């Protein structure tokens, strides 16, 4: 494949309700879409970086800059480009995994579309639908939280994840358990605690949570290993896992017994599959995280979540959980599941009118 150009398109979609976490409140999803054009086909990649460096060090403007100045030129100079060549072409550049993932995904999508092959099959998916959970933000009151959780359960979500932070942890968990019984329940702290909070976090032990996600700083892998010995709730890592190598190290150190896989965070779907394989080899359950993706990113996540090691429901929620109007045909929940796309590549296309309506800027990089 030979690339003839790359489009960097910034979009802005209002969220149906504000999403509050320990790192901030999102009311709009400002994201970047990468479209590669080759002699054979076009392909799309959604960059999961957010507008500010709050979840991770990456952010949309930074991703655009590094793609324009370094990654697109490096990939454009590769003879006979294919998706497996993107990682090696970008390996000399440190970090910026979300930007790398978006470009690799776009190339992979173009390649698979040209060959008529679906992403799910390419990755090794074994299911035609995946069970879905929903990530519920921090609210102003317990009453508001219970209403939100009740509505999601009515829609059919099979697992609830509560965002927590100091001051909003034991009480909301206890309230959800009391109201909704033995629903599958887990929490996500997005690094809001330290090891010295172990005794407090052990107060979550009686609630039979599936897991606690990323309680400590992303670099504090040893702290997670120590915490895992002090609490009963299984520790799951999100932010700390940036590659198959860091996954293997965290598992060996006893820092986690479950891993959240987000392709953007780890540099793409090919590395995400390698993490899946490492986890399967170690008997560590994985599940597919989310970054408030549009239908484009969601389609690819659902394909990944259909691999055999994804044994827990993911944060792969329906389009309506995020957006009034998605940029693709909306993903809708059916008995708590989303269907795995079967069309070539990521299997969905942006709807031109919807895409135009949310586009704030586009930049064409001719090659
Ligand atoms: O930590 O999993 C996270 C959203 C944005 C950034 C980080 C996270 C999240 C979520 C929502 O929890 C997942 C989703 O529904 O897309
Ligand atoms: Mg998380």
């Amino acid at each position: 494949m030979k690339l003839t150009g790359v489009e960097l398109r910034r979009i802005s979609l209002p969220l149906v309700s504000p999403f509050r976490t320990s790192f901030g409140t999102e009311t709009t999803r400002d994201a970047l879409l990468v479209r590669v054009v080759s002699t054979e086909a076009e392909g799309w990649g959604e960059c999961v970086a957010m507008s500010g460096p709050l979840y991770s060090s990456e952010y949309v403007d930074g991703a655009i800059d590094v793609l324009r100045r370094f990654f697109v030129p490096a990939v454009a100079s590769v003879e006979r480009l294919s998706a497996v060549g993107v990682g090696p072409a970008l390996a000399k550049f440190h970090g910026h995994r979300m930007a790398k993932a978006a470009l690799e995904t776009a190339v992979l999508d173009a390649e698979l579309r040209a060959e008529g092959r679906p992403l799910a099959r390419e990755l090794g998916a074994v299911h035609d639908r995946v069970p879905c959970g929903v990530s519920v933000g921090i609210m102003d009151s317990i009453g508001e939280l219970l209403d939100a959780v009740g509505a999601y359960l009515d829609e059919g979500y099979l697992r609830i994840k509560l965002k927590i932070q100091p001051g909003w942890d034991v009480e909301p968990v206890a309230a959800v358990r009391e109201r909704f019984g033995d629903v599958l329940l887990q929490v996500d702290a997005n690094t809001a605690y330290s090891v010295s909070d172990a005794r407090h976090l052990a107060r979550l032990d009686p609630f039979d949570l599936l897991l606690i996600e990323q309680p400590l700083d992303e670099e504090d892998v040893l702290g997670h290993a120590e915490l895992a010995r002090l609490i009963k709730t299984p520790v799951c890592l999100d932010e700390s896992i940036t590659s198959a190598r860091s996954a293997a190290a965290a598992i060996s150190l006893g820092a986690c017994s479950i891993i959240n896989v987000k392709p953007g965070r780890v540099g793409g779907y090919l590395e995400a599959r390698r993490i899946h394989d490492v986890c399967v080899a170690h008997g560590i359950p994985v599940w597919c995280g989310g970054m408030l993706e549009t239908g484009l990113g969601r389609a690819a996540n659902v394909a990944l979540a259909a691999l055999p090691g994804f044994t827990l429901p993911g944060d792969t929620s329906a389009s309506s959980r995020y957006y009034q109007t998605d940029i693709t045909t909306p993903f809708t929940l059916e008995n708590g599941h989303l269907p795995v796309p079967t069309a070539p590549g990521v299997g969905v296309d942006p709807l031109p009118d919807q895409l135009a309506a949310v586009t704030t800027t586009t930049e064409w990089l001719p090659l």
Side-chain angles (χ1 to χ4, degrees):
M1 183 163 64
K2 179 85 188 107
L3 294 188
T4 54
V6 175
E7 180 187 80
L8 304 179
R9 179 184 289 255
R10 238 176 182 289
I11 57 172
S12 180
L13 282 85
L15 290 164
V16 290
S17 55
F19 183 61
R20 183 163 149 209
T21 67
S22 57
F23 60 82
T25 304
E26 304 293 323
T27 54
T28 337
R29 184 65 169 110
D30 288 314
L32 167 69
L33 301 181
V34 176
R35 180 172 66 99
V36 302
V37 180
S38 79
T39 41
E40 288 92 38
E42 288 189 11
W44 291 91
E46 176 169 344
C47 182
V48 300
M50 309 192 73
S51 40
L54 297 169
Y55 162 79
S56 73
S57 62
E58 293 191 74
Y59 61 104
V60 178
D61 285 323
I64 291 174
D65 187 70
V66 78
L67 279 159
R68 182 199 299 121
R69 294 173 61 184
F70 299 103
F71 297 172
V72 170
V75 162
S77 71
V78 176
E79 292 284 331
R80 283 193 302 282
L81 181 67
S82 80
V84 295
V86 174
L90 302 180
K92 67 181 176 192
F93 301 116
H94 291 234
H96 298 282
R97 288 182 171 87
M98 293 174 177
K100 289 176 179 175
L103 183 54
E104 184 193 81
T105 304
V107 172
L108 181 57
D109 184 36
E111 184 179 333
L112 293 174
R113 282 176 198 258
E115 296 170 355
R117 294 156 58 219
L119 177 63
R121 182 67 191 81
E122 169 71 10
L123 295 176
V126 296
H127 305 292
D128 56 13
R129 58 175 206 156
V130 300
C132 300
V134 59
S135 176
V136 186
I138 293 164
M139 308 260 166
D140 289 334
S141 69
I142 297 291
E144 200 186 329
L145 176 73
L146 293 176
D147 289 348
V149 170
Y152 288 132
L153 291 173
D154 288 345
E155 286 180 53
Y157 286 104
L158 300 171
R159 177 277 274 155
I160 298 293
K161 161 169 139 182
L162 302 181
K163 290 291 191 179
I164 60 168
Q165 65 181 11
W168 182 264
D169 44 33
V170 179
E171 211 195 335
V173 167
V176 169
R177 262 286 174 257
E178 194 187 6
R179 173 72 68 89
F180 301 107
D182 59 4
V183 53
L184 296 180
L185 185 62
Q186 64 192 54
V187 293
D188 184 0
N190 288 112
T191 77
Y193 296 88
S194 60
V195 182
S196 58
D197 295 314
R199 281 220 293 180
H200 177 71
L201 291 173
R203 292 179 56 205
L204 294 170
D205 287 349
F207 297 105
D208 272 319
L209 300 178
L210 284 172
L211 58 91
I212 179 169
E213 185 178 341
Q214 198 69 41
L216 313 179
D217 187 84
E218 63 185 70
E219 294 187 358
D220 198 4
V221 175
L222 282 179
H224 282 100
E226 194 179 335
L227 180 68
R229 289 190 288 272
L230 298 171
I231 63 176
K232 287 212 187 73
T233 308
V235 172
C236 170
L237 291 176
D238 172 353
E239 285 90 328
S240 294
I241 306 299
T242 55
S243 62
R245 178 181 287 152
S246 66
I251 293 166
S252 297
L253 288 165
C256 61
S257 50
I258 301 173
I259 285 180
N260 162 332
V261 182
K262 289 179 183 167
R265 192 192 65 222
V266 305
Y269 286 85
L270 303 181
E271 187 72 2
R273 176 175 54 188
R274 289 189 279 269
I275 293 178
H276 161 273
D277 295 347
V278 165
C279 291
V280 169
H282 284 88
I284 297 276
V286 297
W287 55 281
C288 185
M291 292 290 290
L292 314 176
E293 287 91 344
T294 72
L296 263 185
R298 189 161 313 285
N301 284 349
V302 169
L304 179 71
L307 268 65
F310 285 76
T311 53
L312 293 168
D315 282 345
T316 47
S317 307
S319 295
S320 62
R321 182 258 171 267
Y322 311 94
Y323 308 113
Q324 193 97 56
T325 312
D326 205 333
I327 59 168
T328 63
T329 302
F331 277 87
T332 55
L333 216 56
E334 215 173 289
N335 294 319
H337 291 70
L338 288 187
V340 177
T342 54
V346 300
V348 299
D349 290 293
L351 301 165
D353 292 348
Q354 259 98 298
L355 182 61
V358 300
T359 297
T360 52
T361 61
T362 58
E363 180 177 344
W364 174 250
L365 306 172
L367 301 173

